[in-house]
Amino acid sequence: MTTDVPGCVKKSRGRPKVFDREDALDKAMALFWQHGYEATSLSHLVEATGAKAPTLYAEFTNKEGLFRAVLDRYITRFVSQHEAQLFASDKPLAQALKDYMVAIALCYTSKETPQGCFIVTTSSALAASSAKVAEMIRLRHAEQAQTLITFLAQRQARGELSASCQSTVLGNYLSCVVQGMSVSAREGASFETLEAIINTSLISLPGVTN
Amino acid sequence: MTTDVPGCVKKSRGRPKVFDREDALDKAMALFWQHGYEATSLSHLVEATGAKAPTLYAEFTNKEGLFRAVLDRYITRFVSQHEAQLFASDKPLAQALKDYMVAIALCYTSKETPQGCFIVTTSSALAASSAKVAEMIRLRHAEQAQTLITFLAQRQARGELSASCQSTVLGNYLSCVVQGMSVSAREGASFETLEAIINTSLISLPGVTN
């Protein structure tokens, strides 16, 4: 169902004849990111994507299915790029962490997308009826901490982190700082403020040996 | 309009004859805290507080006015107690910070209230129509960072923090960690996980001289 024309090219051409899945996902992402999961209704999604409701239902089944596809696209578009900074194995540990956190801070403060983290913003006040969405989000955040823990364990194996350092504790701490940056960005913190927070958080990581 | 009987005593006595303002605020707080500002409707608030709609209107004007009163009560019930840990002037700087953050972590993970921070949870996905509420919340979070900055500046004046340390940067960093703890708690992090994050965040604060 996906055309090979990038979604952004089409904006001035009116409604495309062929449903552009990625373009629709990007527009749905902007809505969820700005307003959260609960407050984004299917009629808002229909309006923003320019797709007809039956098309959205055929493609994604329901709002939850659309959200799942949007979450996958967020990971492809943003998270994968941030993680590429982390897993650049030629960089010293502290630099890799800094580059990763700076990439995230740039994303959180970008004018092209809503402020803060898509996942934190979407998740904050989910109704009990959205248990599956809550679980998707919880798993994704657990993955973020796990990614950091995996990275730290790899560097520990290379001797860049002392053997006595608990990579789980350090990974949870860094994940916590990143999530706090989302809240700060949402309330208008500048990139420079986030960058100063990153620098402070990395000043004296316990056990870093390079 | 407030009786001098604590709200919790009344639970088994049916609807009180006199409107209990503090009890109503606590019940409204639980709703906003769990579901966020947007998803909490006036009819939910009427149902939870047991007050009649005209009573709520007379007392608070509208949902925004009720939220403002709830925010004040949250600060009295929780924030003031946390800040008392911070401003205990006989404690060394690092201990005061740790006690403050531990008090917050206990609150975020308490079984008696919804998980995470009332303000972070409430604020995350506010509609454009709730600009006044967004501003109330933004100011409150700015106050949290400012409280930490004030504390650090006081300790700097006492020589417990080196003169070269930027209290604004350090205060923003600690505020960011606290906000990140809220996100973690909301997703089910235990008190022990938050405590380990606190310990890591305080291991090597730059410029602390005691």
Side-chain angles (χ1 to χ4, degrees):
Chain A
M1 296 287 270
T2 309
T3 69
D4 56 2
V5 181
C8 55
V9 176
K10 286 197 176 148
K11 276 183 180 164
S12 59
R13 297 186 194 171
R15 184 176 294 183
K17 285 174 188 170
V18 180
F19 174 63
D20 185 333
R21 194 176 194 274
E22 294 194 347
D23 184 51
L25 288 175
D26 286 342
K27 286 171 176 163
M29 190 191 296
L31 275 192
F32 283 128
W33 200 333
Q34 186 65 46
H35 304 295
Y37 181 78
E38 302 294 342
T40 302
S41 69
L42 254 175
S43 62
H44 291 141
L45 291 162
V46 165
E47 190 181 348
T49 59
K52 287 175 180 157
T55 309
L56 288 185
Y57 282 112
E59 191 77 16
F60 306 109
T61 312
N62 53 24
K63 183 171 136 183
E64 185 187 304
L66 174 55
F67 181 78
R68 188 184 294 274
V70 165
L71 184 57
D72 286 345
R73 179 144 175 86
Y74 176 76
I75 291 168
T76 309
R77 269 189 68 190
F78 297 100
V79 178
S80 302
Q81 292 185 31
H82 305 159
E83 291 184 356
Q85 296 293 330
L86 193 62
F87 289 102
S89 60
D90 54 328
K91 286 187 219 166
L93 187 159
Q95 189 63 47
L97 279 176
K98 180 168 179 177
D99 290 352
Y100 169 69
M101 293 171 84
V102 163
I104 291 173
L106 285 169
C107 173
Y108 287 1
T109 55
S110 166
K111 301 293 176 211
E112 289 170 27
T113 50
Q115 293 166 311
C117 168
F118 169 76
I119 299 171
V120 173
T121 306
T122 310
S123 71
S124 182
L126 283 169
S129 57
S130 307
K132 280 190 192 165
V133 171
E135 185 61 12
M136 270 186 247
I137 288 168
R138 201 190 60 72
L139 285 175
R140 175 54 221 152
H141 260 152
E143 275 172 34
Q144 183 188 50
Q146 193 53 54
T147 298
L148 282 159
I149 292 165
T150 302
F151 163 77
L152 292 167
Q154 285 177 0
R155 294 307 181 105
Q156 201 164 31
R158 279 166 49 171
E160 295 183 43
L161 195 64
S162 71
S164 63
C165 179
Q166 291 181 282
S167 56
T168 303
V169 169
L170 202 50
N172 282 338
Y173 158 71
L174 292 166
S175 180
C176 176
V177 172
V178 167
Q179 294 178 354
M181 279 167 30
S182 171
V183 179
S184 300
R186 193 73 183 177
E187 288 166 8
S190 66
F191 170 72
E192 288 69 26
T193 297
L194 298 190
E195 194 181 27
I197 287 170
I198 293 167
N199 289 337
T200 306
S201 75
L202 297 177
I203 280 177
S204 307
L205 284 183
V208 174
T209 53
N210 81 341
Chain B
M1 296 290 268
T2 309
T3 69
D4 55 2
V5 182
C8 55
V9 176
K10 285 198 177 146
K11 275 180 179 165
S12 59
R13 297 188 196 169
R15 184 175 296 182
K17 284 174 189 171
V18 179
F19 175 64
D20 185 332
R21 194 175 194 275
E22 294 194 346
D23 184 52
L25 288 176
D26 285 342
K27 285 170 175 164
M29 190 191 297
L31 274 191
F32 283 128
W33 200 333
Q34 185 65 47
H35 305 295
Y37 181 78
E38 303 294 341
T40 302
S41 69
L42 254 175
S43 62
H44 293 140
L45 291 162
V46 165
E47 190 182 348
T49 59
K52 287 177 178 156
T55 308
L56 287 184
Y57 281 113
E59 190 76 17
F60 306 109
T61 311
N62 52 26
K63 181 172 138 183
E64 186 187 304
L66 174 55
F67 180 78
R68 188 184 295 273
V70 166
L71 184 56
D72 286 344
R73 178 143 176 88
Y74 176 76
I75 290 168
T76 308
R77 268 189 68 189
F78 297 100
V79 178
S80 302
Q81 293 184 30
H82 305 158
E83 291 184 357
Q85 297 293 328
L86 193 61
F87 289 103
S89 60
D90 53 328
K91 286 186 218 166
L93 187 158
Q95 189 64 47
L97 278 176
K98 179 165 180 179
D99 291 350
Y100 169 70
M101 292 172 84
V102 163
I104 291 174
L106 285 169
C107 173
Y108 287 1
T109 55
S110 165
K111 300 293 176 213
E112 289 169 27
T113 50
Q115 294 167 310
C117 169
F118 169 75
I119 299 171
V120 173
T121 306
T122 311
S123 72
S124 181
L126 283 169
S129 57
S130 307
K132 281 190 192 166
V133 172
E135 185 61 11
M136 271 186 248
I137 287 168
R138 201 190 59 72
L139 286 174
R140 174 55 221 152
H141 260 151
E143 276 171 35
Q144 182 187 51
Q146 194 53 54
T147 298
L148 282 159
I149 293 165
T150 301
F151 163 77
L152 292 167
Q154 285 176 1
R155 295 305 180 107
Q156 202 164 30
R158 280 166 49 171
E160 295 182 43
L161 196 64
S162 71
S164 63
C165 178
Q166 291 181 282
S167 55
T168 304
V169 169
L170 202 49
N172 282 336
Y173 159 70
L174 292 167
S175 181
C176 176
V177 172
V178 168
Q179 293 177 355
M181 279 167 31
S182 171
V183 178
S184 300
R186 192 76 183 175
E187 288 166 7
S190 66
F191 171 73
E192 288 68 28
T193 298
L194 297 191
E195 193 181 28
I197 287 170
I198 293 167
N199 289 339
T200 307
S201 75
L202 297 177
I203 280 176
S204 307
L205 283 183
V208 175
T209 54
N210 80 342

